[in-house]
Amino acid sequence: DVQLQASGGGLVQTGGSLRLSCAASGLEHDDYVIGWFRQAPGKEREGVSCIFSSDGNKYYRDSVLGRFVISRDNAKNTVHLQMNSLKPEDTAVYYCAIDSPRRDNGLGCPVMWYKSWGQGTQVTVSS
């Protein structure tokens, strides 16, 4: 079974930066997509960003465009989410998830694809 280990959350002031990492193990295929999601108290889970291992194609939700950067290290089956210019509204528990095998079809990375989820990591942005 594929397992995900998320890390990197913490407390930061507005305008600060954090880097989340998601390491996958137990993969049986080289092609996968890893996505980051977040859920704030009292709100629904929302997709933040995703990246495909095969071609590096990336997708972002509009509210994080220009602030967050997702990247992959295929050799380590690890995906990073660099979060810059953080805002209080970015406060949430962040989860990574994976679907494999999966290649980009140009339609983003809908939540229904994901088969395995990592544990959440708390990100708190103070004002």
Side-chain angles (χ1 to χ4, degrees), residues 1-111:
D1 290 347
V2 177
Q3 293 188 336
L4 298 175
Q5 180 68 45
S7 60
L11 172 64
V12 66
Q13 292 185 333
T14 296
S17 298
L18 284 172
R19 188 191 196 210
L20 305 183
S21 297
C22 180
S25 60
L27 285 168
E28 297 182 351
H29 305 277
D30 291 334
D31 295 337
Y32 57 84
V33 58
I34 286 183
W36 283 99
F37 295 80
R38 65 187 182 187
Q39 187 165 21
K43 296 188 177 181
E44 292 188 354
R45 179 180 55 191
E46 61 184 22
V48 176
S49 182
C50 64
I51 188 167
F52 291 83
S53 64
S54 56
D55 52 18
N57 282 357
K58 311 169 186 180
Y59 294 87
Y60 298 94
R61 72 178 297 108
D62 288 348
S63 62
V64 306
L65 269 173
R67 300 189 298 123
F68 290 12
V69 178
I70 194 169
S71 62
R72 78 200 195 284
D73 182 343
N74 285 351
K76 297 180 180 179
N77 291 329
T78 298
V79 166
H80 304 289
L81 185 68
Q82 179 66 41
M83 305 186 296
N84 302 317
S85 302
L86 282 162
K87 305 175 181 180
E89 51 264 43
D90 294 317
T91 295
V93 177
Y94 284 69
Y95 300 89
C96 60
I98 190 170
D99 183 42
S100 179
R102 177 67 68 180
R103 286 182 171 238
D104 186 17
N105 63 6
L107 299 179
C109 34
V111 64

